[in-house]
Amino acid sequence: MRCHGNPLSRRGFLAAGALGGLGLSLPELLMHRAMAEQKHYDFIKAKAKSVIHVFLPGGIAQQETFDPKPYSPLEYRGEFRTIKTNTGEQFCETIPELAKRADKFSVIRSMTHGEAAHERGTHNMFTGYKPSPALSYPSFGAVVSHEYGPRNNLPPYVCIPNVPNEFAGTGYLPSSYGGFALGSDPANSNFKVRDLDLAGGVDEQRFLRRKAALDVVNRKFVEATPADNVAAMNTFYQRAYDLIDTPKAKLAFDIEKEDAKTRDRYGRNQAGQRLLMARRLVESGVRLVTLTYGSWDMHTGLTAAFKRSMPALDVGLSALLDDLSERGMLDETLVMVTSEFGRTPKINPDAGRDHWPKVFSVMLAGGGIKGGIIHGSSDSTAAEPEDNPVSHADLAATMYRLMGIVSDKELMAPGDRPIEIVDGGKLIEPLMV
């Protein structure tokens, strides 16, 4: 399986065919196409050096977060009241700290897709594609890893605390582009990242001898077996060795190096410490961090569940925005808070809300995103998009553009099939700086 960019897309050849009617030869067509492609790629300048993708599994309710409906009947609006933001908008009272910082981020209130099953909705929000029985698509992190590779000997794609689901993987790309999982929660008192330290009894000299011997064996093996999966594994081991052999890179994972006040500021809990770890990693050079927090599949007892889960996330996200801003990192770090779908407009008989992919909310901050914008809207009961619907492909295309990646660039899938990174997504231009 070959996996590389294909600058001559199918769309490009269709355009070239039209030019052929003007009497241009094939070499001239290719030259014109190459020049156009070069201009296209030169134009894409990255606004974001890194992405922190905060995924809230289960499907968080839009009504109890960024899109309250205070004038709807009680059975639609729920038990919570609203709170005014520092930009004059209304959020749910569950996120008072974020409401004070609404000028630092934007909200899409018109996200929409048609997948009401957890697995299928999650696939959409991690790949930008609808699920297909014919092909496994790569996640955002895998694509970013493929396009850019490591920086400062750190993995380009890291998952906190673990790879969250099967759709956060490499899809049709080689396994070497997969996410590096911490394997432990940064909130744990005994937190330690697996696989970063040498095995017991192995000192630095012994490690270097083993590495040199493995390099010789791998070189011979790769030369004799030119298969992509062999090369991918070789790349995987090389990156692992680079990480273990680079003290500064390893230091990025040591959350104990943060001062106590900073850790307290984020919150000594799962949400806070995972978000703090994400900041440490992007500051050190990781290109895309995916982290999860909570379980938002609240079919029953939604009010009590929000009171348990949301305060830590509200404080942690607010601390992240402040911290990135104070360090001069917010403009070059895209923070993206998503979930697989939203919740039903009406409270069910069990005092919860059920799956609802027709409309939900996403939060975006930094990395080329304007602050203080509400993009799109839902109708009076948060049942349908009222205007400016945004698809998962639109969100993916926008994220890639901010990272400096051409979203309609083609990668090679099994069978030498050219597959666009995103198929047809439109940029959410009103949100982009």
Side-chain angles (χ1 to χ4, degrees):
M1 178 178 68
R2 289 187 295 123
C3 296
H4 52 75
N6 180 5
L8 296 176
S9 68
R10 288 166 289 174
R11 295 177 184 174
F13 278 113
L14 289 173
L19 289 173
L22 300 178
L24 294 175
S25 66
L26 180 57
E28 290 173 322
L29 287 174
L30 292 175
M31 181 183 70
H32 280 283
R33 178 60 182 166
M35 291 173 62
E37 285 289 343
Q38 186 60 49
K39 289 179 181 178
H40 181 49
Y41 280 89
D42 286 346
F43 181 75
I44 305 297
K45 301 298 183 183
K47 298 282 188 179
K49 292 182 178 179
S50 302
V51 174
I52 297 175
H53 181 195
V54 181
F55 186 72
L56 306 175
I60 193 168
Q62 65 274 22
Q63 303 91 332
E64 276 71 34
T65 51
F66 296 110
D67 194 11
K69 298 298 176 182
Y71 306 113
S72 297
L74 179 62
E75 63 269 27
Y76 289 91
R77 71 174 182 264
E79 298 182 53
F80 290 111
R81 296 173 296 177
T82 61
I83 189 170
K84 183 167 279 193
T85 72
N86 66 350
T87 60
E89 298 288 342
Q90 286 188 324
F91 288 168
C92 184
E93 65 175 329
T94 59
I95 48 175
E97 294 303 318
L98 286 172
K100 296 173 186 176
R101 297 161 176 81
D103 59 317
K104 282 186 165 70
F105 61 87
S106 289
V107 172
I108 301 170
R109 282 180 172 167
S110 54
M111 281 297 305
T112 181
H113 62 66
E115 305 292 352
H118 287 293
E119 294 80 6
R120 296 178 69 85
T122 300
H123 182 283
N124 285 0
M125 301 305 290
F126 269 84
T127 69
Y129 270 91
K130 290 183 178 180
S132 167
L135 189 63
S136 177
Y137 294 99
S139 66
F140 300 149
V143 172
V144 169
S145 179
H146 176 272
E147 293 298 291
Y148 285 130
R151 182 167 52 195
N152 301 337
N153 279 345
L154 281 161
Y157 172 30
V158 176
C159 300
I160 303 175
N162 292 299
V163 179
N165 55 70
E166 61 184 301
F167 312 116
T170 60
Y172 59 74
L173 293 176
S175 58
S176 59
Y177 300 111
F180 178 86
L182 301 190
S184 180
D185 197 317
N188 294 343
S189 58
N190 60 347
F191 169 69
K192 184 178 181 180
V193 179
R194 66 187 178 196
D195 304 329
L196 282 188
D197 296 315
L198 297 177
V202 178
D203 59 20
E204 184 177 357
Q205 292 303 315
R206 191 176 178 187
F207 166 73
L208 293 174
R209 288 196 302 271
R210 286 184 174 185
K211 181 176 182 292
L214 186 61
D215 286 343
V216 172
V217 173
N218 282 347
R219 196 179 311 118
K220 293 292 185 183
F221 193 50
V222 171
E223 290 171 358
T225 312
D228 277 351
N229 56 348
V230 174
M233 188 55 66
N234 195 35
T235 301
F236 176 84
Y237 280 123
Q238 185 59 53
R239 290 181 179 177
Y241 275 125
D242 289 342
L243 177 57
I244 292 173
D245 200 27
T246 309
K248 188 175 180 180
K250 289 171 60 177
L251 190 64
F253 294 91
D254 190 354
I255 201 167
E256 294 293 336
K257 293 294 190 262
E258 289 289 339
D259 66 82
K261 288 184 179 179
T262 301
R263 297 192 70 179
D264 292 342
R265 180 186 189 185
Y266 275 81
R268 301 270 185 160
N269 49 58
Q270 286 187 352
Q273 297 306 291
R274 291 178 186 184
L275 289 161
L276 175 55
M277 176 60 77
R279 191 272 290 158
R280 286 186 62 84
L281 292 175
V282 298
E283 185 176 34
S284 298
V286 175
R287 298 186 186 277
L288 189 143
V289 176
T290 289
L291 70 93
T292 57
Y293 167 69
S295 178
W296 304 89
D297 194 24
M298 298 173 180
H299 292 276
T300 63
L302 180 143
T303 299
F306 256 87
K307 288 180 178 179
R308 287 193 301 270
S309 298
M310 183 51 81
L313 181 62
D314 180 44
V315 169
L317 273 175
S318 299
L320 176 67
L321 295 176
D322 290 347
D323 199 6
L324 289 172
S325 181
E326 290 161 9
R327 292 170 183 268
M329 293 173 58
L330 187 57
D331 287 345
E332 59 188 33
T333 305
L334 175 64
V335 179
M336 184 166 68
V337 184
T338 74
S339 195
E340 62 259 49
F341 41 57
R343 311 304 291 188
T344 48
K346 193 173 183 179
I347 301 287
N348 66 27
D350 295 316
R353 297 185 191 269
D354 302 315
H355 303 177
W356 195 257
K358 291 184 179 180
V359 70
F360 56 107
S361 296
V362 161
M363 172 186 151
L364 298 172
I369 291 292
K370 297 174 183 176
I373 303 293
I374 300 293
H375 181 75
S377 63
S378 63
D379 62 16
S380 62
T381 58
E384 304 272 355
E386 184 105 308
D387 58 59
N388 297 316
V390 175
S391 73
H392 52 288
D394 299 338
L395 181 64
T398 302
M399 183 271 293
Y400 284 128
R401 171 61 69 91
L402 295 173
M403 285 287 287
I405 295 172
V406 181
S407 63
D408 61 358
K409 178 181 178 181
E410 291 174 344
L411 307 180
M412 299 306 289
D416 285 343
R417 287 185 294 168
I419 304 294
E420 293 180 344
I421 292 175
V422 180
D423 185 10
K426 302 185 299 294
L427 298 178
I428 313 170
E429 293 185 350
L431 294 185
M432 299 169 68
V433 174

